[in-house]
Every structure is written in C-alpha cells, then in structure tokens.
C-alpha cells in the first residue's frame, strides 16, 4: 500500500466502532488497489486546526449550539469538541504602521484594540470548552504554528501510540504532509463536524506516485521547485487524488523544502501531497528539540507499523495508481502572475512577458493597453522628491514567510541579498509599500541572529507583525499621491509578494498586476522598482561610486545559505518558539473574559452575534422540499472563487455591510475587515458577493450588483436577496466551470444560505466548496456534460422549478423546468450517503447539534 493509505488503514482499525467506522471500511482500505475511486471510507483525524477567520464562526456556532441545546431542554455543558482542537489567532493583523519604529508593537496594540471583543470571545471559549486550545495573537500563522509547534508526528496518549493526522480550516494545512503527517484542508462546516466526533468521509482516492530525480540549479529556490512541480502535476491531472513522493531526489530535499512542496497541493488540485517519514525527517526533528528517547520510540513505532520510508529499500516502493517523473535538474527560477498563481513566468522572460500582457486583450493575463500609451510616464511628488510612474512600476513589495515561503533558506536568501544590496549602495524608492510579515517569531529570531534583519530594515522591509496581512488584503493604503498618479495615468501598477495567491484587486483596488515570487526576488524587484527588467542584461540600480549593480552581483550562493542556516537557524529557532509558547502573551494573559456556561451575547456588538442556523433545529431527517419558481440571483461565469463569494479584506464604504455598520454608529475607520467580523452573520451576509471584481452577466461589468426581476431594480446583491425573501421567492445561482475555487471558507456557503439560495447550477465545482454547500443545506447541481446555460438557451431571467424525489441517491439525475416551458436535466452532486443524510437534516450543523 502507499504510505498515505496505510495511515487511513491504521485509523480505520483504531476507530472501528461498528457505527461511524465499520469493519468493511477497514477491509475496503486494505483492498485499496481494486477499490480506489469505487467506495467511500471514513477517516478520523487525530486533531483539528483552526485559524481565527474560520475559527471564530466555528466557535460562535458552538456557543449558539449550546444555546439551542439548552432551549431544547438538553444540557449545554455537553457541547464540547470531541476531537482535540487548536485555534490560532493569526488572521486579524492589519498593517497600520509599516515604518520603523512604529511597527510590531504598534500594530499589535492596534490589533488588541480593534479586536478586543473577538479576543474576549476566544478567551471565553478557551475557558469553558473542553478539548480546545487557543494560540494567542503575536505567536504566528496557523500553518506555521501547526508545523513548528503543534505537530506530534506520532501521538502518545496513555502509553498508546498512533500516527498524527489533522484536518484544518485552511488550504495550507497540507504543509504538515512534508513531516509525514497526513492532513488536508476542509471547510469550516466539515471541521465542526469532525470536532464533534464525526469522521471525514472521502472516496477512496487514487494515489499518484511522484518520482523526484536529479539536483536543482543553485539559483533555483524552493519556490521555483514548488512552481515547477505544480506545473507538472497540473498537467498530470491529480485533482481529487493523493500525491506521494519517492525517488532519489526526495532525500536531497530538506523537511523545509518538503513542506513547501506539500503546501502547494491545493494549487494543483490534489487532496494532499505526502512525504513519508524517513531519516531526513528524524534528523530535522532532532534539531527542533524532540528528545532522544521520544525519537527512538517514534522510529521504532513507525518501522513496526511500516510507516517509515527507508532509502536503502527504495527498490521496494509501493504500488501507485500512476507514476509521474520529475527531474529537479530541469528547474529554473520563476515568478507567477499577473492575475493567477498558475500562470508561471520564467524570470529571464519577465520583461517580455509583461510587455505581452500590456498588448493582450483584457482577460486572465492581458490588460489591453493601447500601443501609444504603453510607454506613458506620470510624474509624482512624494516626500519632497519627484518620481516617475510607468506601466510595470512596483508599489507594493511584501516578504511573507508563511505557506510556500516558510523555508528558512528562502528567507535567509532575502536577508543575505538585502545585506549585499545595502553594502553595494542600493536603495528602495520610499513610495513602495514594503513590509516583512514573518510567519512566526521564529523567523524574526533567525533573521536577527544571522545578522541580516537590519539590512532588510534599511531597504524598508520592517517586521510589521505576526499574522496574515498583505495576502488577505490587510495592507496599509498606498500614499494618496501615488494612488492619484496611478489612476490619473491609468497605470498598470504591480505588487510583488512571496505568498501563494494573487487574485486581482485583493492587494489594493488600484494595483492590477500581482506577481508571486520568492522572498529574495521580492527584494530584488523592489530595488529595481519595476517588473520591466531583464536581470541578465540590466542592472538593479546604481551603487556607490556610480557603479551598476546586477542581480548576479548580490545573489547569495547555496553554500552561503547552507552555512548560515546550519549555524543560526534550525536548533535555535525551535528553542525560541517553544520558550515563547510556554511563556505566553502578556496582553492575552491579562485579558478578562466571562466564565459562564453560555456566552453572554451583547446585542449591541458588531463583532459577535448569535447566528440563526439552529433556530429550526431538525430533530429528524426530512424529504428535501421542492424549489418552486425560483429566480436567479446571480448569473456567473467560469472560475468564480471563494474570494468572489465570501467576504475578505476591507469593507468598502459604499457596500451593504458598510451601511449596516454606519447605522450601528461606526465610522469607516472602525469598520475593520470582513475577516475580523466573521462572528457576525449580519455583516457577513451583507458582504456575500460584495467583491468589486464580481462579474454578474446580468450587469455586464465587474460590480457587486444584480437585478431584482419583479421590479427591474439594480441593487446590491444583499438588497435584492432581501427583497426576494420578503416576497417568499426562493433564489438559485447559475455558474460556469470550477465554481468555488480558492480558500475553503465556510461563509462561502453560509452567506448564500442566509441570502436564501436553495441551489447552485454550475458546470463543475471545486470539491471542498461543493461539500460546504451540502453541509449548510444548499443543493450543488451540475449541468450534464457538454451543456451549460448558453447551450440550453437560458438567459437567467426565467424562473426555475426543481422537484426532489423522496429518496435521494448519489449522483442521481434531476429534471428542472423553467417558466418558459423548457425542461432540462442536471446531476445532483451527492457523492455518498453521508452527504445525503446531512443534506436531509438541513446541513451538518443541524445534524451534529441534534446528537446532543
């Protein structure tokens, strides 16, 4: 068996209770070779990880569940996570200050101020709920802390050993697979079910063996390796499968490299990417502070149950569904963008590729700038000096050490490059919004101990805090003069960041091109000030004595990196993190919170509100009700992401959510972000489909608007949905291919549910989002192959009626009738009987709450 399937097998045996996990499930997993893609199996992970944007609605649901159980005559104290759960408060950080000395301390002070209600709610949760651990602010990002501190590799409970495994409410949970820990991201609704003791149900997957051979180029960073492997695996069609790495190239990759590669599996569609534990893993764990006795027990256990991969017996590799071969020797440096993370650009082709983007029609890569305007220059005064902005100019440069950039080598490379740049006399233009957001204090520690942090600071890359910031749209506003110049000249300004996602409009509404790059390349492009540069033939800038400095002059060698990493990073940084975790957070420790069994809801709060999900708690399953004469709320195209659906980033002043907050007496400065307000369903519902880049075919241009057909009014999506609900008219959504791409957000399902959406009709779905829809009680329906609204002659202005049979079955076909008399068929995307059961209870939240 593949190693990842062995972990599923062990879990099925250990958790076999004859009800949620049956003996037949274990036997099906054992017979994986013939049963893959054919049967569904349950999996009981050892633990759950939540980050705070998705964690706060989960904990609010738990608090609301206690309320509902009490109202139904039950004992609310029984409502607790059954599975060990860790919640990291990491996503609420906003960058108010980005220049020294007003950086970390001031940003943290602002975070505790604006998020006090949320933090008090978390503190209450940590006191009253069993099996929940809250990791306070200023510690690090969820995926980083999960990897560096929470991971056990092997669990030991009451002298009983079993493999560590995890599901988390973040797509980057997959990072831990680089440590040999089976884990992947699920939606908030699924995670709540797991927290309450239900297994994750999945179709027994195919396992693709990825054989790595050769050695990467010295100039290629882990980012380049990641993007190259991502490209290969996209082409290999690994969507919905496990990927497991083997071959001579694996032993050449550090654990940091492996976690970097495993992290990106959502980008190529795999459920997870798995690196079995081997000698490299054990060596890494030794450096990170695992004591010798524990490591000996761990090694003996893993070998006894055949979960340890030995390089010497590589001739006895598992049998895989298919094998993909990748030579590390063929990898060269890349960036990706300007609009999608999958669009890779070789660094040596960057200048010509950006020029092609200017010429190309507006779309996934093009900006359609007229030839005579492509060399326009807009002068701008800033801090007493004049600068010139042109297409390709960089205005945001963010070094972020999370997810695919958690590898110490790439962060040290950025620091060493900064050191050499400063010593050569290079600078970064002051109007560029630079920032350094470490994934944890550990990163700051090794950047400081290696002596490179002051040089990053001199180039403007100040440590701004520990939490998701630029990636989720929480960057500080650009200087007004720069914004005005960009808009005046219709300049294609650029952001460069070392993150994993570059959705258009996410960084800033006037930054239209976003590139993902390795940390050293972010620093290099910031120095250059533009992406229209050929590093081979053009200098980054002019140094001391007027000398031209090229990238090759300041790029650190692999030997330099390896020496610094060994001397300054591995052992000391893990010791630092553990000391910090044990010491705790002073502000958090002093924070007061109630200790009552039920949460004392404050009706005036705009952060925490008891949601309505349990108002009609279903005690028994019911036959799905027909959807009669539904109007189409939105008619969407292909690749609609959870960024389009679920609120993220800042709250626009003209939005429905802003109107609600203004009516509550708040000023725009107090709006905070959608992420910070995920504990308030009134804000989140108003923010659903409020993305400025939402392209609704009823409107014909990007805008969070739609049409209320009975009256003909064009209004905000929330306002139209509210009118339909008052009129008692159900609504549905029409969409194209890959509906629900992106981060697995529960509000991407909860929001539409509260807007009154009963079903989504799409050509295809992102798997996690499809499960989220079922988990909240929305039917995911798929057009038949080769069909879509256009081929069926649908305008979206019709009314739709859908009749469900009393007994649903996986993958069954349903008929839909329109008000024009047209009848067509769709597939109900229920993959297994558990999904049907949850849907018939009105979603998994109702199902698990009923069990109390």
């Amino acid at each position: 068996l593949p190693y990842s399937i062995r972990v599923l097998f062990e879990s099925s045996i250990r958790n076999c209770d004859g009800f949620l996990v049956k003996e037949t499930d274990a036997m099906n997993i054992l017979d994986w070779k013939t049963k893959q893609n054919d049967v569904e199996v349950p999996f009981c992970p050892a633990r759950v990880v939540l980050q705070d944007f998705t964690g706060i609605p989960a904990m609010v649901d738990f608090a609301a569940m206690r309320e509902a159980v009490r109202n139904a005559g039950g004992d609310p104290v029984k409502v607790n996570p059954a599975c060990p759960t860790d919640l990291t408060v990491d996503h609420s950080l906003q960058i108010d200050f980005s220049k020294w000395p007003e950086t970390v301390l001031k940003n943290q002070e602002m975070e505790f101020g604006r998020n006090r209600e949320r933090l008090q709610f978390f503190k209450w949760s940590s006191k009253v709920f069993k099996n929940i651990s809250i990791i306070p602010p200023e510690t690090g990002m969820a995926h980083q802390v999960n990897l560096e501190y929470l991971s056990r590799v092997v669990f030991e409970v009451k002298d009983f050993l079993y493999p560590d495994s995890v599901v988390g409410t973040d797509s980057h949970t997959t990072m831990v697979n680089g440590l040999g820990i089976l884990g992947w991201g699920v939606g908030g609704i699924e995670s709540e079910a797991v927290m309450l003791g239900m297994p994750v149900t999945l179709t027994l997957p195919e396992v693709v063996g990825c054989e790595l051979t050769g050695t990467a180029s010295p100039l290629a960073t882990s980012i380049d390796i990641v993007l190259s492997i991502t490209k290969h695996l996209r082409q290999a069609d690994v969507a919905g499968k496990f990927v497991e790495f083997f071959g001579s190239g694996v032993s050449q990759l550090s654990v940091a490299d492996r976690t970097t590669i495993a992290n990106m599996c959502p980008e190529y569609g795999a459920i997870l990417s798995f690196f079995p534990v081997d000698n490299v893993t054990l060596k890494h764990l030794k450096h990170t502070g695992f004591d010798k006795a524990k490591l000996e027990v761990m090694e003996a256990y893993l070998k006894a149950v055949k979960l340890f991969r030995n390089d010497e017996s590589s001739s006895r590799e598992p049998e895989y569904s298919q094998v993909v071969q990748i030579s590390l020797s063929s990898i060269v440096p890349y960036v990706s963008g300007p609009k999608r993370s999958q669009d890779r650009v070789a660094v040596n082709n960057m200048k010509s590729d950006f020029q092609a983007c200017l010429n190309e029609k507006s779309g996934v890569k093009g900006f359609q700038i007229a030839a005579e305007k492509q060399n326009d220059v807009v002068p701008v005064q800033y801090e007493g000096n004049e600068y010139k902005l042109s297409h390709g100019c960089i205005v945001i440069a963010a070094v972020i050490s999370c997810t695919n950039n958690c590898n110490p080598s790439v962060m040290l490379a950025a620091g060493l490059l900064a050191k050499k740049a400063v010593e050569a006399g290079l600078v970064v233009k002051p109007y560029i919004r630079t920032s350094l957001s470490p994934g944890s204090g550990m990163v700051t520690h090794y950047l400081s101990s290696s002596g490179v942090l002051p040089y990053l600071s001199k180039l403007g890359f100040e440590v701004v805090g520990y939490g998701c910031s630029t990636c989720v749209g929480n960057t500080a506003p650009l200087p007004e003069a720069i914004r005005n110049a960009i808009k005046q000249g219709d300049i294609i300004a650029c952001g460069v960041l070392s993150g994993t996602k570059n959705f258009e409009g996410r960084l800033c509404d006037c930054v239209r091109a976003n590139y993902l790059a390795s940390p050293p390349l972010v620093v290099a492009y910031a120095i250059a000030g533009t992406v229209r540069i050929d590093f081979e033939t053009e200098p980054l800038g002019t140094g001391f004595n007027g000398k031209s400095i090229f990238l090759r002059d300041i790029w650190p060698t692999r030997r330099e990196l390896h020496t610094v990493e060994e001397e300054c990073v591995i052992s000391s940084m893990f010791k630092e993190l553990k000391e910090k975790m044990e010491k705790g957070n002073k502000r958090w420790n002093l924070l007061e919170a109630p200790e009552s069994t039920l949460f004392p809801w404050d009706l005036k709060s705009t952060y925490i509100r008891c949601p309505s999900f349990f108002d009609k708690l279903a005690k028994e399953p019911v036959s799905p009700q027909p959807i009669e004469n539904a109007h189409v709320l939105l008619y969407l195209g292909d690749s609609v992401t959870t960024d389009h659906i679920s609120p993220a980033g800042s709250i626009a002043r003209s939005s429905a959510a802003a109107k609600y907050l203004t009516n509550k007496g708040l000023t725009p400065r107090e709006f905070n972000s959608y992420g910070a307000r995920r504990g308030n369903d009134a804000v989140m519902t108003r923010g659903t489909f409020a993305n400025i880049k939402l392209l609704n075919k009823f409107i014909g241009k990007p805008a969070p608007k739609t049409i209320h057909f009975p009256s003909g009014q064009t209004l905000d999506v929330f306002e139209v949905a509210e009118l339909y609900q008052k009129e008692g008219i159900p609504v549905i959504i029409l969409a194209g291919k890959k509906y629900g791409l992106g981060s697995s957000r529960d509000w991407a399902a909860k929001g539409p549910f509260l807007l009154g959406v009963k079903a989504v009709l799409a050509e295809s779905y992102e798997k996690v989002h499809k499960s989220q829809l079922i988990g909240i009680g929305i039917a995911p329906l798929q057009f038949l192959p080769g069909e879509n609204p256009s081929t069926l002659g649908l305008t979206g202005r019709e009314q739709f009626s859908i009749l469900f049979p009393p007994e649903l079955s996986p993958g069954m076909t349903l008929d839909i009738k329109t008000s024009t008399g047209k009848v067509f068929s769709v597939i109900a995307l229920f993959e297994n009987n558990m999904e049907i059961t949850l849907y018939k209870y009105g979603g998994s939240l109702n199902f698990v709450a009923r069990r109390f």
Side-chain angles (χ1 to χ4, degrees):
L1 294 177
Y3 289 91
S4 51
I5 298 300
R6 298 179 198 185
V7 178
L8 294 182
F9 182 49
E10 187 280 340
S11 174
S12 68
I13 293 172
R14 179 166 39 85
N15 293 288
C16 186
D17 60 1
F19 175 59
L20 292 174
V21 183
K22 300 180 177 67
E23 185 178 335
T24 52
D25 296 320
M27 299 310 295
N28 283 334
I29 297 172
L30 185 61
D31 195 21
W32 166 81
K33 190 173 181 181
T34 59
K35 294 292 180 67
Q36 55 186 290
N37 284 334
D38 189 39
V39 299
E40 60 187 56
V41 295
F43 175 57
C44 298
R47 56 190 176 92
V48 175
V49 168
L50 308 172
Q51 44 96 326
D52 70 355
F53 274 9
T54 49
I56 195 159
M59 298 316 300
V60 167
D61 286 347
F62 266 73
M65 212 178 291
R66 281 197 164 194
E67 204 85 32
V69 169
R70 189 275 307 269
N71 293 341
D75 182 1
V77 177
K78 291 182 178 179
V79 179
N80 291 290
C83 182
T85 301
D86 299 293
L87 189 156
T88 301
V89 184
D90 67 334
H91 273 53
S92 56
L93 176 68
Q94 290 194 48
I95 303 174
D96 295 284
F97 303 96
S98 60
K99 289 190 176 180
W100 184 262
E102 299 171 317
T103 50
V104 179
L105 293 178
K106 289 231 172 194
N107 282 319
Q108 290 172 352
E109 186 178 324
M110 292 292 288
E111 178 177 4
F112 267 82
R114 71 163 66 90
N115 291 295
R116 190 171 187 83
E117 284 184 58
R118 299 174 63 250
L119 296 176
Q120 286 178 321
F121 177 77
F122 282 136
K123 193 72 176 281
W124 170 81
S125 299
S126 69
K127 289 182 176 182
V128 303
F129 288 113
K130 299 175 183 177
N131 258 348
I132 183 80
S133 173
I134 306 292
I135 312 299
E138 304 174 23
T139 304
M141 300 176 195
H143 12 275
Q144 281 288 111
V145 174
N146 183 27
L147 183 71
E148 298 165 354
Y149 184 76
L150 302 176
S151 293
R152 282 80 152 179
V153 184
V154 172
F155 256 82
E156 183 174 346
V157 180
K158 296 179 181 178
D159 295 327
F160 189 80
L161 302 173
Y162 55 94
D164 188 2
S165 58
V166 61
V167 293
T169 55
D170 196 291
S171 54
H172 303 297
T173 304
T174 52
M175 288 177 72
V176 296
N177 289 280
L179 268 180
I181 298 170
L182 197 71
W184 66 91
V186 297
I189 298 167
E190 286 175 291
S191 69
E192 289 182 47
V194 174
M195 290 166 69
L196 288 161
M198 288 183 62
V200 177
T201 303
L202 71 160
T203 302
L204 198 56
E206 293 181 41
V207 182
V208 177
C210 184
E211 183 178 16
L212 301 180
T213 59
T215 305
S217 157
L219 291 179
T221 67
S222 60
I223 297 298
D224 304 314
I225 295 172
V226 167
L227 294 178
S228 181
I229 290 175
T230 297
K231 177 185 176 183
H232 280 87
L233 293 177
R234 274 186 186 278
Q235 295 171 342
D237 186 22
V238 297
K241 304 172 185 177
F242 284 7
V243 175
E244 193 166 291
F245 291 88
F246 72 102
S248 59
V250 173
S251 59
Q252 298 174 37
L253 298 177
S254 68
V255 166
D257 288 330
R258 298 176 188 193
T259 56
T260 304
I261 295 166
N263 165 68
M264 284 294 278
C265 77
E267 304 301 327
Y268 43 80
I271 298 174
L272 58 87
S273 295
F274 192 70
F275 287 84
V277 175
D278 61 8
N279 289 318
V280 173
T281 317
L282 293 180
K283 183 178 179 181
H284 170 82
L285 295 175
K286 181 181 179 181
H287 285 149
T288 61
F290 275 68
D291 65 71
K292 184 179 179 181
K294 186 171 182 178
L295 282 174
E296 288 175 353
V297 171
M298 182 187 299
E299 182 177 0
Y301 166 73
L302 291 171
K303 287 181 176 178
V305 295
K306 298 186 178 180
L307 286 173
F308 188 88
R309 183 179 179 274
N310 194 329
D311 295 335
E312 297 173 1
S313 25
S314 57
S315 59
R316 298 177 58 192
E317 298 289 359
E319 294 181 20
Y320 295 106
S321 306
Q322 68 181 94
V323 172
V324 175
Q325 293 181 321
I326 299 176
S327 171
L328 300 179
S329 307
S330 63
I331 296 173
V332 295
Y334 281 91
V335 297
S336 67
K339 299 183 181 182
R340 304 188 306 179
S341 56
Q342 63 262 41
D343 295 325
R344 299 198 313 154
V345 184
V347 172
N348 56 7
N349 292 333
M350 180 66 156
K351 185 175 182 178
S352 59
D353 188 83
F354 185 79
Q355 183 64 43
C357 291
L358 294 180
N359 291 321
E360 197 171 320
K361 289 183 179 180
S362 295
V364 295
K365 284 204 71 171
F367 296 105
Q368 202 169 348
I369 302 298
E372 64 273 14
K373 292 183 174 293
Q374 290 180 9
N375 294 313
D376 284 359
V377 174
V378 179
V380 58
Q381 291 288 329
Y382 182 69
E383 294 185 347
N385 294 306
E386 182 176 277
Y387 300 94
K388 295 179 180 179
L389 301 184
S390 58
H391 296 300
C393 64
I394 290 170
V395 293
I396 293 176
V399 174
I400 305 160
S401 66
C402 71
T403 64
N404 60 326
N405 290 297
C406 65
N407 192 322
S409 67
V410 292
M411 292 301 293
L412 287 171
L416 288 172
L417 186 142
K419 180 176 184 291
K420 292 186 176 186
V422 170
E423 290 172 343
L426 297 176
V427 296
V428 172
K429 295 180 178 65
Y431 62 79
I432 298 176
R433 184 66 74 191
T434 50
S435 62
L436 170 58
S437 182
S440 69
M442 180 188 301
V443 180
T444 304
H445 173 72
Y446 68 66
L447 289 177
S448 178
S449 63
S450 61
V452 299
L453 192 59
Y455 296 97
L456 285 164
S457 297
K458 286 180 181 178
L459 292 181
F461 291 94
E462 299 283 358
V463 176
V464 296
Y466 306 102
C468 290
S469 49
T470 306
C471 274
V472 293
N474 287 352
T475 190
L478 294 177
E480 188 174 354
I482 303 300
R483 289 175 61 91
N484 291 340
I486 292 172
K487 291 181 179 179
Q488 171 196 334
D490 193 27
I491 296 296
I492 306 298
C494 300
V496 183
L497 66 153
S498 56
T500 59
K501 293 183 175 65
N502 51 347
F503 298 120
E504 188 177 7
R506 181 183 257 202
L507 298 188
C508 175
D509 58 3
C510 64
V511 178
R512 292 157 66 184
N514 302 312
Y515 286 93
L516 306 181
S518 64
L521 281 177
V522 170
V523 177
Y525 276 113
I527 294 169
T530 180
V531 298
R532 297 173 85 174
I533 181 173
D534 181 347
F535 287 135
E536 286 292 323
T537 60
E538 298 175 79
L540 288 174
T542 303
F544 295 127
N545 303 321
K547 181 182 178 182
S548 294
I549 307 297
F550 291 80
L551 180 60
R552 58 178 172 269
D553 298 327
I554 61 173
W555 191 269
T557 66
R558 277 190 178 274
R559 178 167 298 204
E560 288 176 293
L561 284 173
H562 180 74
T563 300
V564 174
E565 189 172 4
E566 287 293 321
E567 292 179 357
C568 304
V569 179
I570 299 297
S571 58
S572 63
M573 72 183 197
F574 278 88
K575 180 181 178 182
E576 177 85 4
L577 177 68
K578 289 182 179 180
E579 288 176 355
K580 183 176 181 179
M581 295 289 282
E582 290 166 3
K583 184 178 178 181
N585 178 298
K586 186 176 180 180
R587 287 192 186 92
W588 174 261
N589 294 340
L590 294 175
L591 191 67
E592 294 182 357
E595 298 186 18
S596 53
T597 299
L598 299 175
F599 185 71
W601 307 100
D602 180 357
L603 298 180
K604 296 180 181 178
S605 175
T606 56
Y607 279 99
I608 307 295
R609 192 174 111 130
C610 188
S612 60
F613 300 120
F614 307 106
D615 288 353
K616 298 178 181 178
L617 191 62
K619 293 184 178 181
E620 299 295 338
V622 295
S623 297
Q625 300 301 302
I627 302 172
E628 297 179 343
N629 299 316
H631 271 295
V632 176
L633 180 65
L634 293 160
Y635 184 3
L636 307 172
D638 297 340
S639 300
V640 173
T641 70
T642 50
D643 259 37
H644 293 112
I645 307 168
S646 173
S650 60
I651 298 173
R653 297 187 180 190
S654 60
S655 66
K659 295 173 189 174
Y660 168 83
L661 294 172
T662 301
N663 289 336
K664 292 287 186 179
L666 273 64
T667 64
R669 185 176 180 81
E670 299 170 305
F671 285 174
N672 208 330
S673 66
Y674 280 117
R677 294 189 180 276
R678 281 190 184 178
N680 186 320
D681 61 301
V683 172
M684 299 305 289
T685 307
R686 285 166 172 79
T688 303
F689 294 113
N691 189 300
I692 58 173
K693 294 297 181 179
L694 181 75
L695 185 57
N696 178 10
K697 294 185 180 182
F698 293 148
I699 305 300
K701 61 181 181 180
K705 304 283 184 181
T706 195
I707 299 173
H708 177 250
F709 289 109
S711 66
Q713 298 179 84
T714 298
L715 303 166
D716 287 337
V717 175
F718 171 78
E719 294 171 329
V720 171
E722 191 175 38
L723 286 176
Y724 279 131
Q725 288 188 329
K726 287 179 179 178
E727 295 160 349
I729 300 174
V731 294
I732 63 172
I733 291 171
L734 291 183
K737 300 182 181 70
K738 299 179 180 178
Y739 181 76
L741 286 170
S743 304
S744 53
R745 298 195 187 125
D746 57 342
W747 274 109
K750 287 179 176 177
F753 175 81
L754 293 178
L755 289 176
V757 174
K758 303 299 182 185
V760 178
L761 278 67
E763 289 183 70
S764 62
Y765 291 82
E766 197 278 334
K767 183 177 177 64
V768 172
H769 183 63
K770 185 219 71 172
S771 298
Q772 293 277 80
L773 293 176
I774 294 170
I776 200 64
I778 296 175
L781 307 177
Q782 183 170 292
F783 291 103
L784 297 180
E787 293 186 354
N788 57 46
S790 297
T791 62
L792 293 170
L794 303 175
T795 66
R797 297 171 180 266
E798 308 90 342
Q799 287 182 273
F800 294 74
S801 295
I802 308 168
L803 182 65
F804 294 92
E807 293 300 324
L808 295 175
S809 59
M812 73 182 306
T813 300
L814 303 175
D815 288 334
I816 297 181
K817 184 178 181 180
T818 71
S819 54
T820 61
K822 178 178 288 292
V823 177
F824 62 96
S825 297
V826 294
I827 302 168
L829 291 186
F830 301 106
E831 291 186 2
N832 52 62
N833 292 323
M834 178 60 78
E835 288 186 342
I836 291 171
T837 300
L838 298 181
Y839 180 71
K840 290 172 74 173
Y841 271 103
S844 61
L845 293 184
N846 270 286
F847 178 78
V848 293
R850 171 193 164 275
R851 296 180 65 202
F852 292 108

